[in-house]
Amino acid sequence: MTDINLGEYKALRTLQRAVDDALEESLRERETLTQTFKRCFPLVRSLTGAKAVAITTRDEELVEQTWEDGDWSDCHPGALLEGAVGVRRMGADTLVSQPLDVAGTRVGVFGLLFANDATAPEDAARLQRVLDTVAEQLDTVLCLVHTASEKHQLILQCNSHLANPVFEAGMDLAVLTLAQRVRLPGFLLLSRDAVQPHVLHYRTYRNGHLEFESGEQPHAGLEAAIRQHGPRLLLSEESTLRRLFSGRTTEAVLISGAAAPGPLGKIVVWNDNGFSTYAMDLIRVLASTLSQRLQDYNRERIHLSQFFPNAVIDALLQDPAYAQHLRAQDQEVGILFADINGFTRICERGFDSPRDIGRFVDEWSERAVGCIWEHGGVFDKMVGDCVIGLFGPPFFKGTPRERAQAAVRAACDIQAFTASLGAREEVAALCERVKLPGLGVAVGVNLAHANCGLFGPNRQYTAFSSGMNQAARLQSLAGFRETLVMDSVHAALVGSEEPFFQGLRFGPLTETPVKNVAQPLRHYRLEPLTP
């Protein structure tokens, strides 16, 4: 290589400082790439004597385009820069060009066009040094722009993945996307259950791929830590998780929820060599986005928990099109109404305060809803002390017979646990005080078509039909510890091969006229089960 003389050295230093100053000014002014090149290119042409200058690279949206300045005649510089790099003749002129790279990745091409032939070895070497000086400064700016742009694009991709209706599927894609950009040997998400705050869920990843998850693919160390420490693992000062992944550099990022009484969860990442600032920035941004997604996910779980047990909620939220199961549907469903016998008398004479009434109703209704859920039912609502259940929603997989059977099983269980509750000393004393023979419920069961789904401004899962009204009227006709079933239920149970239903006994068919109902209710009394 030809040695450079002092004059050329000074000229290159002047060029370097001038371009550096111009780029710094652009950075201070937060200019776009277009504004930056518009500021720099005339300066480069003035100091180098170039006829024209051009650069092909990606813009802030990571879209490739060409910026130019000077006289390129009728030529399109973008097409010229696509050719071989180096020094070459372009008609009567000389083009010198070279690739640009950011952290070893090619991001474009930069070129200068000089008048006349300068392809002789000495001239070509001089032009190449000029080009190198400018390109070195441009690399710095492009590195900042491209790093910021790639980070932005990555964030958008992760946000898009986390918007997946199935939270776990979106989480898997977001972590994989992150691992494709930065080295991510270990990643853990530990989160609190929205409905059962003492329960923790986790997903661990190795190099972006799911490795362990609570429930189906348990991690022995995490399971032991959860049993020992429970929700304390989510506290910022808790270091158990870091010790669990011993021998690795570990960073924990707390995911906090503004409306939650405590943290929603925690991210833990580990890598033998630690993480770059770039990687940690991305991890923190993912944590922030994940925090909002967890809040939305938990809000949906809490809403659905008013009607469905956890297993049904899990099944719903693992279906990308789960909303279709909650839309209004006309289906034949089992319907159950259960009301505490003599509740008004109990409230007026048996309790000293409304708080005591509330505690009593809470205990009874929780167990009644549990009976409905245990047999695959949906808790519709509670009207006073009356609990309403639906059997069939939200998936409507069973036959009408199976729905009727589930409703009757739930009715029998509610009758049994209510009677056992009445046997408790304090409840027996309460019943004696209000002159009741014990604690009992009146139950009405129907099998009828109803329009089931989420309704109203609060999106409550309920059903509407004349069959619902019939079940309500039937329950009001039932006496102490009595279960009445509509003839549709009785007909569905006839011929059942299950021993439980073969052992049921019913009274005679009864027709009872009721107010505002055109046809009398046709129903049977279910005889009490023998212990």
Side-chain angles (χ1 to χ4, degrees):
M1 180 181 291
T2 305
D3 293 334
I4 63 174
N5 57 40
L6 182 59
E8 183 184 353
Y9 175 77
K10 289 182 178 179
L12 292 177
R13 288 288 294 167
T14 299
L15 176 62
Q16 181 186 45
R17 286 195 297 268
V19 174
D20 184 59
D21 290 344
L23 293 176
E24 283 193 8
E25 182 65 22
S26 289
L27 290 174
R28 281 195 297 270
E29 295 296 326
R30 300 186 182 278
E31 293 179 340
T32 64
L33 279 179
T34 297
Q35 293 170 321
T36 298
F37 296 144
K38 188 174 181 180
R39 176 191 292 272
C40 293
F41 283 177
L43 177 65
V44 170
R45 287 200 302 114
S46 172
L47 293 174
T48 63
K51 180 179 178 181
V53 57
I55 185 171
T56 297
T57 187
R58 291 179 290 176
D59 62 14
E60 290 85 352
E61 300 297 326
L62 299 183
V63 177
E64 186 175 277
Q65 71 176 86
T66 300
W67 289 265
E68 61 179 280
D69 183 70
D71 181 14
W72 287 92
S73 299
D74 295 330
C75 299
H76 182 262
L80 297 178
L81 294 179
E82 289 178 0
V85 296
V87 180
R88 67 186 188 277
R89 288 291 300 275
M90 297 297 302
D93 300 323
T94 300
L95 174 66
V96 55
S97 61
Q98 73 173 48
L100 297 169
D101 70 88
V102 172
T105 300
R106 179 165 172 160
V107 296
V109 184
F110 176 60
L112 295 172
L113 184 68
F114 292 90
N116 303 319
D117 181 6
T119 57
E122 185 174 338
D123 293 336
R126 178 179 56 81
L127 295 185
Q128 190 66 59
R129 288 192 289 269
V130 169
L131 190 69
D132 289 342
T133 299
V134 179
E136 184 179 351
Q137 302 303 310
L138 292 176
D139 282 345
T140 302
V141 166
L142 292 178
C143 182
L144 295 174
V145 171
H146 284 263
T147 298
S149 297
E150 288 188 347
K151 187 184 297 184
H152 177 66
Q153 293 294 325
L154 181 60
I155 291 168
L156 291 179
Q157 289 178 25
C158 288
N159 287 352
S160 176
H161 293 322
L162 289 174
N164 191 314
V166 181
F167 172 77
E168 293 83 0
M171 182 70 200
D172 294 349
L173 288 172
V175 174
L176 179 60
T177 298
L178 182 62
Q180 290 170 342
R181 297 294 182 89
V182 299
R183 189 168 183 272
L184 198 65
F187 187 104
L188 161 70
L189 169 66
L190 182 68
S191 60
R192 185 195 300 265
D193 188 275
V195 181
Q196 301 170 289
H198 62 283
V199 175
L200 297 181
H201 304 286
Y202 60 84
R203 297 177 80 78
T204 74
Y205 303 82
R206 181 176 295 277
N207 297 317
H209 298 281
L210 183 66
E211 186 174 26
F212 299 104
E213 62 175 317
S214 48
E216 297 187 2
Q217 298 170 253
H219 182 289
L222 276 171
E223 294 288 338
I226 290 172
R227 286 194 298 270
Q228 181 177 357
H229 301 280
R232 294 199 307 275
L233 288 173
L234 301 180
L235 299 178
S236 58
E237 64 270 15
E238 177 59 54
S239 59
T240 301
L241 293 176
R242 298 188 185 192
R243 292 195 301 271
L244 186 61
F245 304 109
S246 58
R248 302 169 175 144
T249 302
T250 307
E251 177 71 24
V253 181
L254 191 66
I255 308 169
S256 58
L264 293 172
K266 178 181 281 190
I267 281 178
V268 178
V269 292
W270 58 95
N271 184 346
D272 289 338
N273 300 315
F275 293 95
S276 66
T277 301
Y278 175 77
M280 285 311 305
D281 282 348
L282 292 177
I283 291 168
R284 291 189 185 100
V285 170
L286 177 62
S288 177
T289 304
L290 186 57
S291 175
Q292 183 58 54
R293 180 65 182 91
L294 266 176
Q295 291 181 62
D296 295 340
Y297 177 73
N298 287 350
R299 191 178 298 115
E300 185 70 0
R301 287 194 69 92
I302 292 170
H303 176 239
L304 294 176
S305 71
Q306 298 175 80
F307 326 110
F308 308 109
N310 273 334
V312 173
I313 296 173
D314 290 341
L316 280 170
L317 294 182
Q318 287 168 8
D319 184 346
Y322 82 91
Q324 70 179 358
H325 300 297
L326 304 178
R327 62 179 174 81
Q329 300 183 59
D330 187 351
Q331 294 276 356
E332 190 172 13
V333 296
I335 305 166
L336 179 150
F337 279 66
D339 187 274
I340 299 174
N341 294 125
F343 184 69
T344 301
R345 191 192 313 178
I346 291 173
C347 291
E348 290 180 350
R349 305 179 190 176
F351 291 105
D352 296 328
S353 70
R355 178 179 296 179
D356 293 335
I357 298 173
R359 289 173 178 167
F360 174 76
V361 171
D362 270 350
E363 180 181 359
W364 177 82
S365 62
E366 181 179 356
R367 293 181 63 179
V369 171
C371 292
I372 292 171
W373 282 349
E374 184 179 345
H375 295 290
V378 173
F379 171 51
D380 179 318
K381 68 174 72 69
M382 191 167 184
V383 181
D385 64 307
C386 181
V387 167
I388 304 171
L390 304 172
F391 297 82
F395 301 114
F396 301 103
K397 291 182 177 179
T399 64
R401 168 179 283 181
E402 290 170 332
R403 297 169 193 177
Q405 289 177 339
V408 170
R409 280 188 182 276
C412 293
D413 285 355
I414 291 173
Q415 288 284 13
F417 97 75
T418 304
S420 67
L421 184 63
R424 280 191 348 206
E425 183 178 347
E426 70 275 16
V427 179
L430 168 67
C431 292
E432 184 177 349
R433 199 159 54 244
V434 300
K435 301 188 184 315
L436 283 175
L439 191 65
V441 287
V443 182
V445 181
N446 196 5
L447 178 67
H449 277 270
N451 196 25
C452 310
L454 293 176
F455 293 96
N458 295 326
R459 309 304 293 160
Q460 301 296 298
Y461 198 96
T462 187
F464 297 95
S465 74
S466 59
M468 293 288 287
N469 186 45
Q470 290 170 353
R473 297 300 184 91
L474 194 63
Q475 176 271 311
S476 67
L477 293 174
F480 180 74
R481 293 182 180 173
E482 192 171 56
T483 297
L484 302 181
V485 303
M486 290 289 289
D487 59 345
S488 57
V489 176
H490 182 269
L493 299 183
V494 172
S496 173
E497 297 180 359
E498 293 190 33
F500 176 83
F501 295 103
Q502 291 178 346
L504 295 181
R505 297 293 178 263
F506 297 90
L509 173 64
T510 302
E511 294 192 1
T512 305
V514 293
K515 187 177 180 180
N516 297 326
V517 176
Q519 299 295 325
L521 298 183
R522 295 169 54 84
H523 58 90
Y524 294 82
R525 179 179 183 270
L526 175 60
E527 301 293 342
L529 296 177
T530 55

